[in-house]
Amino acid sequence: MISACLVGDKVRYDGKGKYNPLVKEILTKYELLPLCPEVLGGLSIPRDKAEIINDKVITYKNKDVTNQYNKGAHACINPLEFKHVKKAILQDRSPACGVHKIHNGKFNDELIDGEGILTRLLIKRGIEVYTIEEFYEKFIKKSNEEKKEN
């Protein structure tokens, strides 16, 4: 699985994608299943920026969208189980997909250690979660270096 924004899908809160060129190399060795839990949860594109505050997801307009984030995270599970997905590449800093960092809940662009709603659910279900850089380093770059040595 990969966050849909990382393959260039325009699903982010601002209506843009977040294409990462590492996707091209990852696709040479892995099939990717792009999903956006925020969209699957029924949120619009574009949508108000949201951050996690005390385990709730709140927009900058003070609207609680926790249910949509939870619904979207759970909506990812069936396709992942159907495809026997064991690893996920997620967009860090997102309230849904944050792997190591999320915004601090004050809408001031500062980051704190934390995980997004989908990330927490995937980890509980035994799915390995990586940032795209971590995945590339561990599974692509290492493999390419081993090939060169042989």
Side-chain angles (χ1 to χ4, degrees), residues 2 23 28 35 42 49 84 113 118 122 134 146:
I2 188 165
V23 167
T28 65
L35 296 171
K49 190 173 184 177
H84 306 287
D113 291 338
L118 175 62
L122 295 180
E134 289 170 335
E146 288 170 358

Side-chain angles (χ1 to χ4, degrees), residues 53-99:
I53 304 170
N54 298 325
D55 283 331
K56 292 192 177 283
V57 186
I58 308 294
T59 70
Y60 78 96
K61 292 180 179 175
N62 206 33
K63 180 180 178 188
D64 186 339
V65 290
T66 307
N67 288 338
Q68 290 92 327
Y69 275 75
N70 285 327
K71 179 182 173 188
H74 283 90
C76 291
I77 298 303
N78 280 344
L80 297 180
E81 287 179 348
F82 180 76
K83 291 278 198 173
H84 306 287
V85 171
K86 303 291 182 215
K87 295 173 181 61
I89 303 168
L90 301 180
Q91 174 57 42
D92 212 14
R93 302 177 305 278
S94 157
C97 298
V99 178

Side-chain angles (χ1 to χ4, degrees), residues 14-136:
D14 57 6
K16 297 179 182 174
K18 185 98 172 155
Y19 177 74
N20 188 305
L22 294 177
V23 167
K24 188 174 180 182
E25 282 195 66
I26 293 169
L27 277 169
T28 65
K29 297 187 191 296
Y30 291 90
E31 179 183 346
L32 297 175
L33 174 62
L35 296 171
C36 177
E38 296 173 22
V39 173
L40 289 172
L43 295 169
S44 65
I45 306 167
R47 58 188 163 274
D48 292 336
K49 190 173 184 177
E51 297 185 4
I52 297 175
I53 304 170
N54 298 325
D55 283 331
K56 292 192 177 283
V57 186
I58 308 294
T59 70
Y60 78 96
K61 292 180 179 175
N62 206 33
K63 180 180 178 188
D64 186 339
V65 290
T66 307
N67 288 338
Q68 290 92 327
Y69 275 75
N70 285 327
K71 179 182 173 188
H74 283 90
C76 291
I77 298 303
N78 280 344
L80 297 180
E81 287 179 348
F82 180 76
K83 291 278 198 173
H84 306 287
V85 171
K86 303 291 182 215
K87 295 173 181 61
I89 303 168
L90 301 180
Q91 174 57 42
D92 212 14
R93 302 177 305 278
S94 157
C97 298
V99 178
H100 304 294
K101 298 283 184 186
I102 57 172
H103 290 274
N104 66 4
K106 297 177 183 174
F107 297 95
N108 61 6
D109 290 328
E110 289 186 26
L111 299 173
I112 58 172
D113 291 338
E115 298 165 337
I117 303 298
L118 175 62
T119 301
R120 295 174 191 175
L121 180 62
L122 295 180
I123 290 170
K124 282 182 189 173
R125 297 185 78 90
I127 295 174
E128 298 172 32
V129 179
Y130 301 92
T131 65
I132 193 164
E133 294 81 11
E134 289 170 335
F135 190 90
Y136 175 80

